[in-house]
Amino acid sequence: MAADRVVIVGAGQGGFQAAASLRQDGFAGRVTLLGDEPGLPYQRPPLSKAYMKDGDPKRLALRAEAFFAEAAIERVEGRAVAIDRAAARVGLADGRTLAYDQLILATGARNVVPPIAGLADAVASRAVVGLRTLGDAGLLRERIAAGGRAVVIGGGFIGLEFAAVARAAGLDVTVVEAADRLMARVVSPEISGHFLDLHRSLGVDVRPGVAATAVEPGAVTLADGDRVAGDLILLAVGVRPNAELAAEAGLGVANGVVVDGRLVTSDPAISALGDVASYPGPDGAPVRLESVQAAVDHARHIARRIATGDMADYAAVPWFWSDQGDRKLQIAGLRHPGHRTVVVPGDRLVVLSLDGDVLKAVETVNAPAPHMAARRLLAQDRALTAGEIEAAGFDLVALAKGAKV
Ligand SMILES: Cc1cc2nc3c(=O)[nH]c(=O)nc-3n(C[C@H](O)[C@H](O)[C@H](O)COP(=O)(O)OP(=O)(O)OC[C@H]3O[C@@H](n4cnc5c(N)ncnc54)[C@H](O)[C@@H]3O)c2cc1C
C-alpha cells in the first residue's frame, strides 16, 4: 500500500508511538501528528504516581522537542472535528484541513461523568476533578498541598493510585466504590482483597459496595445515607472512548472504533489504536484496552503495515501495571469474570486465571520475574494448562525458559 502522507489524530501515547515507529520502520513520506493538548506529547501513568508525588514534569514528555525535528515529524496543535473520507482530508476546528493517504485515529478516551445528582455542575466548576491530563494533575497537586480531606469516587486503578499518594501526603482519604470489590472490572477477587487490605492498612477509609448518589462542592452523599466531606473530590469512575469523529464519518463504532485483526477500520485508509480502538482480542472477541501496552503495540503494528506493507494480524499479549503504595500490581494476559483462579503457593502473591484448564492471565504483586515469565508463556502458540503448571511446581520462570515464542 503506497502512502505518502500519514496523518495521526491524537498526540498521546499511541499517536506519538505511531509517528516514531513510522520513521523507525523507514517510512519516508510526510508524517503529521495532530494533537489538541498543549506542549509535547507526554505519558499519563506518572500523573497518578510519581508526578502526583513530586510534580517533576521532566520525565513526562515522551521525547524532547529536538526529536520531532530530527525525525521530520510535523506537530500540529489543533482539534480534528471532521473526516471527509471521499476527499481524504481531516478538518480542524480552526478551519484548516490536512490531506492524508493513511489516517490513524489515536484520540484516546475521556472521563465518564455518571448521572449523579449535582455531579455535572461540580465537574463544570472544577469543584470535582477527574485525572486524565497534565492540567488535571496540576490542579489535584495544588489541592493535595492544601491538605484536609479527600474523597475519591471510584475504586479503580487511578482512584486507588491517587488515594495512596494523597494519604501519604497526610490527607484523610475516603474511597467510595459502587461495586462490591475494588478494581472489579479487571482483577480477580484475590487481588481486590489484597489491595483492600493494603489501603485500609495505610489508613484509607475504603467503602466498597456503596454508590455516590449526590455531589455538591465539599461533600459526597452515599447510597447508605452517609455524607462524606471532601476538600478535594476526585472523580475516577472510568473513561469513554473519543470515537465521535469516527462515528460521524460513518466508520463502525461499538465501544470504540471497530478495527479488524490488522487494526484497520471499515475504511482501508483509516486505522485506530489504543484507548479508542475496539480490536479482536486474544480470544477473538472485541476488546478495548486502556493501557500503555495496547497503545504502543497497536501503534507499532500499524506503522509497520504502512511503512513496509506487512499485512500480519496483531497478536501482542496484553499487559498492564499499577503502583499503589509500595505495591506494584502487574497483569499479563486478559482475565474474564468467568475464569477460575488459582493462588500460587509462595511468599509473593501470584494469581493464575484459568478458562477451564487453560491459562489466560497472571496477576502478580511485587513479583516482576513471574510477570515477565507469564508474558512469555502467554505468547506461545500453544495453550498452557493448569496441570503443566502444577507439575512444574508453579515455577513460571522455569517454565518460561523452555517456552517457544
Ligand atoms: C492518570 C492515569 C494513569 C494511568 N496509569 C497507567 C498505568 O499505570 N499503566 C498503563 O498501562 N496505563 C495507564 N494509563 C492508561 C494509559 O495512559 C492510556 O491507556 C494511554 O495513554 C492510551 O494512549 P492513547 O494514545 O490511546 O490515548 P491518549 O494517550 O489519551 O492520547 C489521546 C490524545 O488525543 C487527543 N485528542 C482526542 N481527540 C482529539 C481530536 N479530535 N483532535 C486532536 N486531538 C485529539 C487527546 O487530547 C489526547 O492528547 C493511565 C492513564 C491515566 C489517565
Side-chain angles (χ1 to χ4, degrees):
M1 150 202 342
D4 289 330
R5 295 165 301 179
V6 179
V7 172
I8 303 161
V9 181
Q13 186 87 50
F16 158 77
Q17 185 65 49
S21 293
L22 278 164
R23 291 298 184 226
Q24 273 157 17
D25 288 338
F27 180 73
R30 190 164 168 184
V31 176
T32 304
L33 182 57
L34 173 71
D36 64 356
E37 289 189 79
L40 291 166
Y42 63 93
Q43 47 182 330
R44 300 185 196 283
L47 298 181
S48 50
K49 308 177 180 72
Y51 181 80
M52 190 54 64
K53 279 186 218 152
D54 61 27
D56 181 359
K58 280 202 282 299
R59 281 170 298 176
L60 292 180
L62 286 157
R63 285 291 185 287
E65 185 91 55
F67 169 84
F68 297 92
E70 279 160 24
I73 295 166
E74 180 189 16
R75 280 176 50 225
V76 176
E77 209 173 293
R79 184 164 180 76
V81 291
I83 304 168
D84 180 342
R85 288 167 52 198
R89 297 187 86 85
V90 176
L92 274 59
D94 61 12
R96 286 177 289 174
T97 62
L98 296 169
Y100 64 83
D101 296 313
Q102 282 286 317
L103 178 65
I104 303 175
L105 298 177
T107 48
R110 62 181 179 277
N111 291 324
V112 170
V113 181
I116 294 173
L119 184 58
D121 287 344
V123 168
S125 68
R126 301 292 261 169
V128 171
V129 191
L131 177 46
R132 182 78 195 169
T133 66
L134 189 49
D136 295 336
L139 185 53
L140 286 163
R141 278 185 49 72
E142 281 170 22
R143 294 193 183 170
I144 286 183
R149 295 153 301 183
V151 180
V152 177
I153 304 175
F157 296 115
I158 291 174
L160 293 171
E161 289 180 358
F162 176 85
V165 174
R167 181 73 197 118
L171 279 78
D172 289 328
V173 182
T174 303
V175 175
V176 180
E177 168 55 56
D180 61 2
R181 62 185 180 86
L182 299 176
M183 303 173 282
R185 203 167 49 86
V186 182
V187 306
S188 64
E190 289 80 357
I191 294 291
S192 295
H194 178 88
F195 281 90
L196 178 64
D197 293 347
L198 168 72
H199 287 282
R200 285 189 169 155
S201 76
L202 295 173
V204 177
D205 177 6
V206 189
R207 310 214 192 162
V210 190
T213 53
V215 176
E216 62 200 277
V220 178
T221 304
L222 308 182
D224 60 10
D226 204 0
R227 192 167 168 276
V228 188
D231 306 291
L232 178 172
I233 303 174
L234 172 70
L235 177 66
V237 297
V239 298
R240 177 160 299 149
N242 291 322
E244 290 76 7
L245 198 58
E248 283 157 20
L251 300 172
V253 170
N255 181 31
V257 182
V258 177
V259 292
D260 64 15
R262 294 170 183 164
L263 309 179
V264 182
T265 67
S266 44
D267 181 333
I270 306 179
S271 308
L273 61 74
D275 282 13
V276 79
S278 171
Y279 76 99
D283 293 336
V287 62
R288 195 179 60 74
L289 299 179
E290 295 151 14
S291 71
V292 167
Q293 174 276 324
V296 168
D297 285 342
H298 285 170
R300 289 184 175 139
H301 194 82
I302 293 168
R304 176 160 291 270
R305 171 166 44 77
I306 293 171
T308 72
D310 182 346
M311 298 303 263
D313 276 346
Y314 176 84
V317 173
W319 56 266
F320 183 81
W321 82 96
S322 172
D323 299 334
Q324 299 174 30
D326 63 356
R327 312 288 157 90
K328 182 180 281 293
L329 166 66
Q330 290 175 294
I331 306 171
L334 273 193
R335 236 193 81 76
H336 286 291
H339 289 165
R340 70 184 176 97
T341 55
V342 173
V343 177
V344 168
D347 49 2
R348 298 285 165 104
L349 183 55
V350 177
V351 182
L352 312 179
S353 285
L354 299 145
D355 182 5
D357 199 34
V358 174
L359 183 70
K360 292 291 181 184
V362 178
E363 299 160 309
T364 55
V365 178
N366 290 355
H371 168 73
M372 292 308 290
R375 277 160 58 175
R376 197 171 156 77
L377 291 166
L378 289 164
Q380 292 183 108
D381 281 344
R382 67 178 200 84
L384 191 65
T385 65
E388 287 173 274
I389 298 170
E390 195 173 348
F394 293 99
D395 189 342
L396 298 178
V397 175
L399 272 170
K401 286 193 179 125
K404 289 194 181 64
V405 180

